[in-house]
Amino acid sequence: MALKPTIAIVGSGWGGFTLAHALSVTKYNVLVISPTRTIQYTPLLASAAAGMFDFRLAEEPVRRRNKLPGLSFYKATVEDIDFQNRMLDCKPAFADMAEEHREKIENFKLSYDKLVLAPGCEVQTFGTPGALEHAIFLRTTEDARKIQQRVLDMLDSASMPGLTDEQQRDMLKIVVVGGGAIGIEATAELFDLWQHDLRHLYPHLDGKLAVEIHDVAPALLGTFDKRLGEYAAQRLEGRGIEVRTSSHIEKVDAGAIYTKEDGKLRYGMLIWATGNGTNPLVSRLKVRKGGKLQRIMTDRRLRVLDAEEHIIHGVYGIGDSADIEGYSLPTLAEVAVQKADYLAVELNRGNEPAKGFEYKQRANIAYLGQHDGVIGGKEEWTGQSAWLAWRNGSIYHWPRSWRRSLMIGISWLFNKIGGRDIARKW
């Protein structure tokens, strides 16, 4: 009996996770190498941070019982790739493990027959001094936990006796850097959490918590139509959220940001949601790269190109770290998922992809708080209808699991009746 070929997938984000579970384990041995053992449902993280449902509902483990023994997962990073000999150099990712145990786990190599590069992107700070040390980045469920805990700590610290009104306001200012969908939704969810629930637990602080958005761009929601960005800014400002566009942050300290326009601005919590930076592995690889983000370049069949623009046989690129030469697509979860679905269908046939990838545009959705939102794409909606579409997508589209969708829906129902767990009515 012939041995099954091995497909190695680097990364467990939208592209890598989707592909790993769509590939047939009767035809392939599937290896997933990633420092994160779960996919992080990024559109759900802001809701989880605001107590809308349990954090575990915003992630899904790579390992599945129905995929065993065909799927193997290694919690590691890929440090280098030998394309000629089809070999991966891997480094275990266990930063929190006791030193005496971590030293026993050595770097290792993995061989493959086919390789899919989907390592994702790093946090984009534009080199701002202090950002990595002092900001919270809403990219994982752990980040969502930190945000929720920080909100509660802010409120409790501002409730201590002897504080002036100004000191309380400084402690209770939330600064969100990034006016894209992630930053806007984090702002909206935290504003809703305060208005609907927490201000009733802290009535002595009512009117003192503030949220403000900073973005270096001249308008919010740059991937949407200009009219929708203007609508979002107007609606947010109407609720008392300060919007500072064309804001250039020069450095970050513990408790303050420094902008070119306004100087020192204090904060109680800083959330950084400015988009993607180049992955270190991608920077090291000797492949064709392009675009401002220097993404891996592929052809329309998602085959990776080398530095001389020749196809590297058996190597594919998907996710935020890869783009198609001459057919550039945005770094959206939907693009990564569609590429993964396409590649799984083609590879499950047992041959090289026979036809080029075609992206089917879906609506871009952003929640603005207070049952309000915007939808861009083929059609443009605003208001409550956009909010309902966002809710529908949160339940049915992104989790891709009936069990998870049901649990999220039940959580929302309980929140409506009795309040969120962190601010129950009963």
Side-chain angles (χ1 to χ4, degrees):
M1 182 177 177
L3 294 176
K4 294 184 292 184
T6 295
I7 295 183
I9 302 171
V10 180
S12 60
W14 290 99
F17 178 91
T18 302
L19 178 63
H21 289 281
L23 287 171
S24 171
V25 292
T26 63
K27 295 182 178 180
Y28 298 104
N29 291 313
V30 181
L31 308 181
V32 180
I33 307 97
S34 172
T36 307
R37 65 174 61 87
T38 63
I39 180 178
Q40 304 289 306
Y41 288 124
T42 44
L44 302 180
L45 292 177
S47 295
M52 291 297 290
F53 44 76
D54 188 270
F55 297 105
R56 290 174 296 176
L57 296 179
E59 62 181 355
E60 185 83 18
V62 173
R63 289 186 174 92
R64 289 278 182 84
R65 285 188 298 177
N66 67 333
K67 286 288 184 179
L68 294 175
L71 188 152
S72 299
F73 171 77
Y74 296 95
K75 192 175 188 299
T77 58
V78 174
E79 298 297 295
D80 199 8
I81 301 174
D82 182 344
F83 293 114
Q84 184 174 355
N85 295 307
R86 301 191 178 189
M87 193 71 64
L88 304 176
D89 290 333
C90 305
K91 179 180 179 181
F94 297 100
D96 296 331
M97 182 180 288
E99 185 69 27
E100 62 177 305
H101 299 310
R102 190 165 64 246
E103 289 178 350
K104 297 175 184 177
I105 303 175
E106 299 179 348
N107 292 2
F108 59 95
K109 294 181 181 290
L110 293 172
S111 62
Y112 64 85
D113 297 295
K114 296 181 185 292
L115 173 66
V116 181
L117 298 173
C121 294
E122 292 294 294
V123 171
Q124 177 60 275
T125 66
F126 304 102
T128 306
L132 288 172
E133 293 80 7
H134 302 297
I136 300 176
F137 302 90
L138 190 53
R139 298 171 69 90
T140 67
T141 51
E142 184 58 34
D143 294 333
R145 286 187 178 91
K146 289 179 182 177
I147 289 173
Q148 185 179 113
Q149 188 58 52
R150 183 62 192 138
V151 168
L152 296 174
D153 286 346
M154 287 164 52
L155 293 167
D156 285 337
S157 62
S159 299
M160 293 293 103
L163 295 173
T164 66
D165 184 79
E166 182 180 2
Q167 288 172 328
Q168 288 179 317
R169 290 179 184 277
D170 286 343
M171 291 178 176
L172 296 175
K173 180 183 286 187
I174 300 172
V175 172
V176 178
V177 179
I182 293 177
I184 295 295
E185 289 177 359
T187 299
E189 291 282 19
L190 292 174
F191 181 82
D192 282 356
L193 173 63
W194 171 250
Q195 287 293 101
H196 295 164
D197 294 270
L198 291 180
R199 72 186 181 95
H200 302 296
L201 290 182
Y202 299 86
H204 55 290
L205 299 177
D206 199 7
K208 295 181 180 180
L209 185 140
V211 186
E212 74 182 40
I213 302 173
H214 287 252
D215 198 301
V216 70
L220 300 181
L221 296 176
T223 58
F224 290 67
D225 183 81
K226 181 180 178 182
R227 184 182 70 85
L228 296 178
E230 292 172 347
Y231 174 87
Q234 181 185 32
R235 300 294 285 180
L236 291 171
E237 288 174 332
R239 299 184 188 117
I241 295 170
E242 187 167 356
V243 176
R244 301 196 186 200
T245 53
S246 299
S247 176
H248 298 78
I249 299 176
E250 297 179 320
K251 69 174 182 176
V252 175
D253 281 345
I257 62 171
Y258 297 79
T259 71
K260 180 180 178 181
E261 294 76 18
D262 301 299
K264 184 177 181 179
L265 300 171
R266 297 187 181 278
Y267 67 81
M269 176 168 64
L270 176 63
I271 300 174
W272 201 277
T274 54
N276 297 316
T278 305
N279 186 285
L281 173 63
V282 174
S283 298
R284 293 191 292 270
L285 292 180
K286 295 180 181 179
V287 298
R288 168 82 170 146
K289 301 167 195 171
K292 186 177 180 180
L293 190 55
Q294 286 296 285
R295 300 161 76 185
I296 297 168
M297 288 289 107
T298 73
D299 66 2
R300 288 292 283 267
R301 299 181 188 180
L302 307 187
R303 298 175 297 186
V304 172
L305 306 174
D306 66 16
E308 284 73 40
E309 300 191 44
H310 299 133
I311 293 169
I312 305 177
H313 182 69
V315 180
Y316 308 90
I318 61 176
D320 288 349
S321 62
D323 201 8
I324 299 173
E325 191 157 50
Y327 185 50
S328 187
L329 295 170
T331 54
L332 297 175
E334 184 58 44
V335 175
V337 169
Q338 287 190 31
K339 283 185 177 182
D341 286 338
Y342 155 86
L343 192 57
V345 169
E346 296 296 313
L347 292 179
N348 283 340
R349 289 173 179 162
N351 300 311
E352 290 286 308
K355 60 179 182 178
F357 171 76
E358 292 288 342
Y359 174 57
K360 298 176 178 62
Q361 185 177 5
R362 293 178 62 94
N364 291 330
I365 306 176
Y367 178 52
L368 305 179
Q370 302 290 288
H371 298 178
D372 191 6
V374 295
I375 292 181
K378 293 181 179 179
E379 299 181 1
E380 293 183 358
W381 301 350
T382 60
Q384 191 172 45
S385 59
W387 167 72
L388 290 171
W390 172 79
R391 271 289 176 95
N392 181 68
S394 297
I395 294 180
Y396 297 111
H397 182 63
W398 293 122
R400 289 196 158 201
S401 160
W402 68 265
R403 180 175 177 269
R404 197 164 301 271
S405 298
L406 178 62
M407 293 174 72
I408 290 173
I410 291 173
S411 296
W412 278 340
L413 177 62
F414 273 92
N415 291 342
K416 184 71 174 178
I417 297 172
R420 311 179 202 212
D421 278 348
I422 55 177
R424 290 182 181 176
K425 296 177 184 176
W426 40 265

mmCIF file of all heavy atoms in Angstrom, residues 73-106:
data_model
loop_
_atom_site.group_PDB
_atom_site.id
_atom_site.type_symbol
_atom_site.label_atom_id
_atom_site.label_comp_id
_atom_site.label_asym_id
_atom_site.label_seq_id
_atom_site.Cartn_x
_atom_site.Cartn_y
_atom_site.Cartn_z
ATOM 1 N N PHE A 73 -0.548 18.281 14.681
ATOM 2 C CA PHE A 73 -0.299 19.698 14.979
ATOM 3 C C PHE A 73 0.975 19.832 15.804
ATOM 4 O O PHE A 73 1.191 19.077 16.759
ATOM 5 C CB PHE A 73 -1.470 20.309 15.750
ATOM 6 C CG PHE A 73 -1.189 21.696 16.263
ATOM 7 C CD1 PHE A 73 -1.221 22.780 15.408
ATOM 8 C CD2 PHE A 73 -0.863 21.906 17.597
ATOM 9 C CE1 PHE A 73 -0.940 24.060 15.858
ATOM 10 C CE2 PHE A 73 -0.575 23.175 18.067
ATOM 11 C CZ PHE A 73 -0.615 24.263 17.190
ATOM 12 N N TYR A 74 1.816 20.811 15.433
ATOM 13 C CA TYR A 74 3.033 21.109 16.177
ATOM 14 C C TYR A 74 3.005 22.572 16.593
ATOM 15 O O TYR A 74 2.909 23.460 15.741
ATOM 16 C CB TYR A 74 4.270 20.848 15.312
ATOM 17 C CG TYR A 74 4.421 19.393 14.915
ATOM 18 C CD1 TYR A 74 3.934 18.946 13.687
ATOM 19 C CD2 TYR A 74 5.025 18.475 15.766
ATOM 20 C CE1 TYR A 74 4.054 17.617 13.321
ATOM 21 C CE2 TYR A 74 5.148 17.142 15.408
ATOM 22 C CZ TYR A 74 4.654 16.716 14.182
ATOM 23 O OH TYR A 74 4.768 15.398 13.820
ATOM 24 N N LYS A 75 3.053 22.805 17.898
ATOM 25 C CA LYS A 75 3.062 24.171 18.418
ATOM 26 C C LYS A 75 4.486 24.713 18.291
ATOM 27 O O LYS A 75 5.315 24.546 19.176
ATOM 28 C CB LYS A 75 2.593 24.215 19.870
ATOM 29 C CG LYS A 75 2.300 25.617 20.379
ATOM 30 C CD LYS A 75 1.721 25.565 21.789
ATOM 31 C CE LYS A 75 1.248 26.948 22.219
ATOM 32 N NZ LYS A 75 2.324 27.952 22.250
ATOM 33 N N ALA A 76 4.730 25.352 17.156
ATOM 34 C CA ALA A 76 6.093 25.776 16.841
ATOM 35 C C ALA A 76 6.033 26.862 15.778
ATOM 36 O O ALA A 76 4.985 27.133 15.186
ATOM 37 C CB ALA A 76 6.905 24.585 16.331
ATOM 38 N N THR A 77 7.164 27.490 15.552
ATOM 39 C CA THR A 77 7.310 28.423 14.447
ATOM 40 C C THR A 77 8.259 27.811 13.424
ATOM 41 O O THR A 77 9.162 27.047 13.777
ATOM 42 C CB THR A 77 7.883 29.771 14.914
ATOM 43 O OG1 THR A 77 9.154 29.554 15.545
ATOM 44 C CG2 THR A 77 6.933 30.456 15.895
ATOM 45 N N VAL A 78 8.039 28.139 12.164
ATOM 46 C CA VAL A 78 8.945 27.716 11.103
ATOM 47 C C VAL A 78 9.988 28.813 10.937
ATOM 48 O O VAL A 78 9.652 29.963 10.636
ATOM 49 C CB VAL A 78 8.196 27.463 9.787
ATOM 50 C CG1 VAL A 78 9.180 27.163 8.660
ATOM 51 C CG2 VAL A 78 7.216 26.300 9.953
ATOM 52 N N GLU A 79 11.242 28.464 11.140
ATOM 53 C CA GLU A 79 12.330 29.436 11.091
ATOM 54 C C GLU A 79 12.919 29.575 9.693
ATOM 55 O O GLU A 79 13.372 30.657 9.307
ATOM 56 C CB GLU A 79 13.423 29.037 12.075
ATOM 57 C CG GLU A 79 12.969 29.006 13.526
ATOM 58 C CD GLU A 79 12.536 30.375 14.026
ATOM 59 O OE1 GLU A 79 13.399 31.274 14.106
ATOM 60 O OE2 GLU A 79 11.339 30.546 14.316
ATOM 61 N N ASP A 80 12.931 28.480 8.933
ATOM 62 C CA ASP A 80 13.490 28.527 7.587
ATOM 63 C C ASP A 80 12.921 27.362 6.777
ATOM 64 O O ASP A 80 12.426 26.375 7.360
ATOM 65 C CB ASP A 80 15.017 28.445 7.629
ATOM 66 C CG ASP A 80 15.670 28.944 6.342
ATOM 67 O OD1 ASP A 80 14.942 29.498 5.481
ATOM 68 O OD2 ASP A 80 16.884 28.782 6.198
ATOM 69 N N ILE A 81 13.009 27.472 5.452
ATOM 70 C CA ILE A 81 12.480 26.437 4.569
ATOM 71 C C ILE A 81 13.514 26.126 3.490
ATOM 72 O O ILE A 81 14.032 27.023 2.825
ATOM 73 C CB ILE A 81 11.164 26.884 3.899
ATOM 74 C CG1 ILE A 81 10.110 27.222 4.962
ATOM 75 C CG2 ILE A 81 10.640 25.787 2.966
ATOM 76 C CD1 ILE A 81 8.842 27.815 4.392
ATOM 77 N N ASP A 82 13.810 24.838 3.314
ATOM 78 C CA ASP A 82 14.670 24.366 2.230
ATOM 79 C C ASP A 82 13.737 23.842 1.138
ATOM 80 O O ASP A 82 13.277 22.695 1.198
ATOM 81 C CB ASP A 82 15.597 23.259 2.744
ATOM 82 C CG ASP A 82 16.568 22.750 1.685
ATOM 83 O OD1 ASP A 82 16.343 23.021 0.483
ATOM 84 O OD2 ASP A 82 17.531 22.062 2.044
ATOM 85 N N PHE A 83 13.436 24.695 0.160
ATOM 86 C CA PHE A 83 12.489 24.312 -0.884
ATOM 87 C C PHE A 83 13.030 23.175 -1.751
ATOM 88 O O PHE A 83 12.261 22.317 -2.204
ATOM 89 C CB PHE A 83 12.158 25.516 -1.768
ATOM 90 C CG PHE A 83 11.383 26.601 -1.064
ATOM 91 C CD1 PHE A 83 11.945 27.845 -0.845
ATOM 92 C CD2 PHE A 83 10.091 26.373 -0.624
ATOM 93 C CE1 PHE A 83 11.237 28.844 -0.200
ATOM 94 C CE2 PHE A 83 9.368 27.362 0.028
ATOM 95 C CZ PHE A 83 9.938 28.606 0.242
ATOM 96 N N GLN A 84 14.330 23.154 -1.983
ATOM 97 C CA GLN A 84 14.913 22.128 -2.852
ATOM 98 C C GLN A 84 14.776 20.738 -2.242
ATOM 99 O O GLN A 84 14.416 19.775 -2.925
ATOM 100 C CB GLN A 84 16.381 22.439 -3.124
ATOM 101 C CG GLN A 84 17.026 21.472 -4.107
ATOM 102 C CD GLN A 84 18.441 21.878 -4.476
ATOM 103 O OE1 GLN A 84 18.920 22.936 -4.068
ATOM 104 N NE2 GLN A 84 19.125 21.054 -5.257
ATOM 105 N N ASN A 85 15.045 20.618 -0.938
ATOM 106 C CA ASN A 85 14.962 19.317 -0.269
ATOM 107 C C ASN A 85 13.635 19.110 0.465
ATOM 108 O O ASN A 85 13.458 18.093 1.138
ATOM 109 C CB ASN A 85 16.115 19.173 0.712
ATOM 110 C CG ASN A 85 17.459 19.140 0.019
ATOM 111 O OD1 ASN A 85 17.667 18.340 -0.894
ATOM 112 N ND2 ASN A 85 18.384 20.003 0.426
ATOM 113 N N ARG A 86 12.754 20.089 0.324
ATOM 114 C CA ARG A 86 11.412 20.007 0.936
ATOM 115 C C ARG A 86 11.510 19.724 2.434
ATOM 116 O O ARG A 86 10.985 18.723 2.946
ATOM 117 C CB ARG A 86 10.567 18.952 0.234
ATOM 118 C CG ARG A 86 10.391 19.233 -1.250
ATOM 119 C CD ARG A 86 9.359 18.349 -1.897
ATOM 120 N NE ARG A 86 9.216 18.696 -3.306
ATOM 121 C CZ ARG A 86 8.277 18.217 -4.118
ATOM 122 N NH1 ARG A 86 7.392 17.350 -3.643
ATOM 123 N NH2 ARG A 86 8.215 18.577 -5.375
ATOM 124 N N MET A 87 12.143 20.637 3.139
ATOM 125 C CA MET A 87 12.385 20.467 4.569
ATOM 126 C C MET A 87 12.099 21.772 5.308
ATOM 127 O O MET A 87 12.463 22.856 4.845
ATOM 128 C CB MET A 87 13.835 20.049 4.805
ATOM 129 C CG MET A 87 14.117 19.551 6.200
ATOM 130 S SD MET A 87 13.373 17.932 6.526
ATOM 131 C CE MET A 87 14.266 16.888 5.363
ATOM 132 N N LEU A 88 11.437 21.663 6.472
ATOM 133 C CA LEU A 88 11.126 22.808 7.327
ATOM 134 C C LEU A 88 11.995 22.765 8.580
ATOM 135 O O LEU A 88 12.094 21.719 9.237
ATOM 136 C CB LEU A 88 9.653 22.781 7.752
ATOM 137 C CG LEU A 88 8.590 22.720 6.654
ATOM 138 C CD1 LEU A 88 7.204 22.589 7.286
ATOM 139 C CD2 LEU A 88 8.650 23.933 5.753
ATOM 140 N N ASP A 89 12.615 23.891 8.907
ATOM 141 C CA ASP A 89 13.325 24.027 10.181
ATOM 142 C C ASP A 89 12.370 24.668 11.185
ATOM 143 O O ASP A 89 11.905 25.797 10.971
ATOM 144 C CB ASP A 89 14.564 24.915 10.018
ATOM 145 C CG ASP A 89 15.648 24.231 9.205
ATOM 146 O OD1 ASP A 89 15.688 22.990 9.210
ATOM 147 O OD2 ASP A 89 16.441 24.941 8.551
ATOM 148 N N CYS A 90 12.072 23.972 12.271
ATOM 149 C CA CYS A 90 11.043 24.415 13.212
ATOM 150 C C CYS A 90 11.609 24.664 14.608
ATOM 151 O O CYS A 90 12.539 23.975 15.044
ATOM 152 C CB CYS A 90 9.929 23.371 13.306
ATOM 153 S SG CYS A 90 9.180 22.932 11.714
ATOM 154 N N LYS A 91 11.009 25.609 15.300
ATOM 155 C CA LYS A 91 11.410 25.954 16.662
ATOM 156 C C LYS A 91 10.184 25.884 17.567
ATOM 157 O O LYS A 91 9.181 26.547 17.320
ATOM 158 C CB LYS A 91 11.994 27.371 16.693
ATOM 159 C CG LYS A 91 12.420 27.833 18.076
ATOM 160 C CD LYS A 91 12.976 29.254 18.016
ATOM 161 C CE LYS A 91 13.395 29.748 19.391
ATOM 162 N NZ LYS A 91 13.920 31.139 19.330
ATOM 163 N N PRO A 92 10.210 25.071 18.621
ATOM 164 C CA PRO A 92 9.059 24.960 19.533
ATOM 165 C C PRO A 92 8.674 26.316 20.112
ATOM 166 O O PRO A 92 9.541 27.155 20.391
ATOM 167 C CB PRO A 92 9.563 24.014 20.622
ATOM 168 C CG PRO A 92 10.646 23.222 19.966
ATOM 169 C CD PRO A 92 11.306 24.172 19.007
ATOM 170 N N ALA A 93 7.364 26.534 20.290
ATOM 171 C CA ALA A 93 6.854 27.818 20.790
ATOM 172 C C ALA A 93 6.217 27.619 22.150
ATOM 173 O O ALA A 93 5.001 27.484 22.284
ATOM 174 C CB ALA A 93 5.839 28.402 19.800
ATOM 175 N N PHE A 94 7.057 27.582 23.205
ATOM 176 C CA PHE A 94 6.587 27.373 24.572
ATOM 177 C C PHE A 94 7.265 28.368 25.508
ATOM 178 O O PHE A 94 8.040 27.995 26.391
ATOM 179 C CB PHE A 94 6.867 25.943 25.039
ATOM 180 C CG PHE A 94 6.145 24.889 24.251
ATOM 181 C CD1 PHE A 94 6.799 24.191 23.251
ATOM 182 C CD2 PHE A 94 4.814 24.623 24.493
ATOM 183 C CE1 PHE A 94 6.146 23.223 22.518
ATOM 184 C CE2 PHE A 94 4.141 23.652 23.758
ATOM 185 C CZ PHE A 94 4.804 22.949 22.766
ATOM 186 N N ALA A 95 6.959 29.631 25.328
ATOM 187 C CA ALA A 95 7.626 30.680 26.098
ATOM 188 C C ALA A 95 7.328 30.587 27.588
ATOM 189 O O ALA A 95 8.165 30.946 28.426
ATOM 190 C CB ALA A 95 7.221 32.048 25.571
ATOM 191 N N ASP A 96 6.135 30.106 27.957
ATOM 192 C CA ASP A 96 5.732 30.096 29.364
ATOM 193 C C ASP A 96 6.110 28.808 30.099
ATOM 194 O O ASP A 96 5.843 28.665 31.288
ATOM 195 C CB ASP A 96 4.218 30.313 29.472
ATOM 196 C CG ASP A 96 3.789 31.674 28.951
ATOM 197 O OD1 ASP A 96 4.612 32.598 29.025
ATOM 198 O OD2 ASP A 96 2.651 31.802 28.470
ATOM 199 N N MET A 97 6.713 27.884 29.401
ATOM 200 C CA MET A 97 7.090 26.618 30.029
ATOM 201 C C MET A 97 8.308 26.826 30.936
ATOM 202 O O MET A 97 9.159 27.677 30.672
ATOM 203 C CB MET A 97 7.405 25.581 28.955
ATOM 204 C CG MET A 97 7.773 24.208 29.499
ATOM 205 S SD MET A 97 8.127 23.026 28.174
ATOM 206 C CE MET A 97 6.474 22.760 27.532
ATOM 207 N N ALA A 98 8.383 26.048 32.006
ATOM 208 C CA ALA A 98 9.528 26.107 32.910
ATOM 209 C C ALA A 98 10.818 25.867 32.129
ATOM 210 O O ALA A 98 10.863 25.030 31.222
ATOM 211 C CB ALA A 98 9.382 25.079 34.016
ATOM 212 N N GLU A 99 11.857 26.604 32.489
ATOM 213 C CA GLU A 99 13.126 26.552 31.752
ATOM 214 C C GLU A 99 13.683 25.133 31.672
ATOM 215 O O GLU A 99 14.169 24.695 30.628
ATOM 216 C CB GLU A 99 14.136 27.488 32.420
ATOM 217 C CG GLU A 99 15.451 27.617 31.673
ATOM 218 C CD GLU A 99 15.310 28.357 30.361
ATOM 219 O OE1 GLU A 99 14.384 29.195 30.235
ATOM 220 O OE2 GLU A 99 16.132 28.102 29.456
ATOM 221 N N GLU A 100 13.587 24.390 32.753
ATOM 222 C CA GLU A 100 14.172 23.048 32.776
ATOM 223 C C GLU A 100 13.474 22.115 31.802
ATOM 224 O O GLU A 100 14.080 21.191 31.246
ATOM 225 C CB GLU A 100 14.127 22.460 34.187
ATOM 226 C CG GLU A 100 12.727 22.284 34.748
ATOM 227 C CD GLU A 100 12.745 21.627 36.118
ATOM 228 O OE1 GLU A 100 13.325 20.532 36.229
ATOM 229 O OE2 GLU A 100 12.210 22.230 37.056
ATOM 230 N N HIS A 101 12.170 22.357 31.532
ATOM 231 C CA HIS A 101 11.441 21.533 30.567
ATOM 232 C C HIS A 101 11.651 22.043 29.148
ATOM 233 O O HIS A 101 11.762 21.254 28.212
ATOM 234 C CB HIS A 101 9.955 21.526 30.901
ATOM 235 C CG HIS A 101 9.639 20.951 32.246
ATOM 236 N ND1 HIS A 101 10.141 19.734 32.666
ATOM 237 C CD2 HIS A 101 8.885 21.422 33.269
ATOM 238 C CE1 HIS A 101 9.715 19.479 33.891
ATOM 239 N NE2 HIS A 101 8.948 20.491 34.289
ATOM 240 N N ARG A 102 11.675 23.371 29.001
ATOM 241 C CA ARG A 102 11.831 23.949 27.674
ATOM 242 C C ARG A 102 13.163 23.570 27.043
ATOM 243 O O ARG A 102 13.262 23.360 25.840
ATOM 244 C CB ARG A 102 11.685 25.475 27.753
ATOM 245 C CG ARG A 102 11.593 26.136 26.386
ATOM 246 C CD ARG A 102 11.099 27.575 26.459
ATOM 247 N NE ARG A 102 12.010 28.436 27.182
ATOM 248 C CZ ARG A 102 11.720 29.026 28.340
ATOM 249 N NH1 ARG A 102 10.545 28.824 28.907
ATOM 250 N NH2 ARG A 102 12.586 29.823 28.929
ATOM 251 N N GLU A 103 14.193 23.444 27.864
ATOM 252 C CA GLU A 103 15.516 23.084 27.351
ATOM 253 C C GLU A 103 15.549 21.667 26.782
ATOM 254 O O GLU A 103 16.399 21.346 25.948
ATOM 255 C CB GLU A 103 16.557 23.222 28.463
ATOM 256 C CG GLU A 103 16.857 24.675 28.845
ATOM 257 C CD GLU A 103 17.855 24.773 29.982
ATOM 258 O OE1 GLU A 103 18.155 23.720 30.595
ATOM 259 O OE2 GLU A 103 18.333 25.894 30.255
ATOM 260 N N LYS A 104 14.626 20.823 27.210
ATOM 261 C CA LYS A 104 14.608 19.438 26.738
ATOM 262 C C LYS A 104 13.929 19.308 25.371
ATOM 263 O O LYS A 104 14.064 18.287 24.701
ATOM 264 C CB LYS A 104 13.879 18.548 27.756
ATOM 265 C CG LYS A 104 14.575 18.483 29.110
ATOM 266 C CD LYS A 104 13.753 17.698 30.110
ATOM 267 C CE LYS A 104 14.420 17.725 31.491
ATOM 268 N NZ LYS A 104 13.595 17.023 32.509
ATOM 269 N N ILE A 105 13.177 20.330 24.981
ATOM 270 C CA ILE A 105 12.476 20.289 23.697
ATOM 271 C C ILE A 105 13.328 21.023 22.673
ATOM 272 O O ILE A 105 13.474 22.239 22.719
ATOM 273 C CB ILE A 105 11.082 20.943 23.806
ATOM 274 C CG1 ILE A 105 10.263 20.259 24.898
ATOM 275 C CG2 ILE A 105 10.351 20.871 22.475
ATOM 276 C CD1 ILE A 105 8.926 20.915 25.151
ATOM 277 N N GLU A 106 13.895 20.282 21.752
ATOM 278 C CA GLU A 106 14.855 20.854 20.816
ATOM 279 C C GLU A 106 14.188 21.269 19.506
ATOM 280 O O GLU A 106 13.078 20.829 19.174
ATOM 281 C CB GLU A 106 15.953 19.824 20.529
ATOM 282 C CG GLU A 106 16.740 19.400 21.764
ATOM 283 C CD GLU A 106 17.793 18.356 21.444
ATOM 284 O OE1 GLU A 106 17.755 17.800 20.318
ATOM 285 O OE2 GLU A 106 18.638 18.094 22.313
#
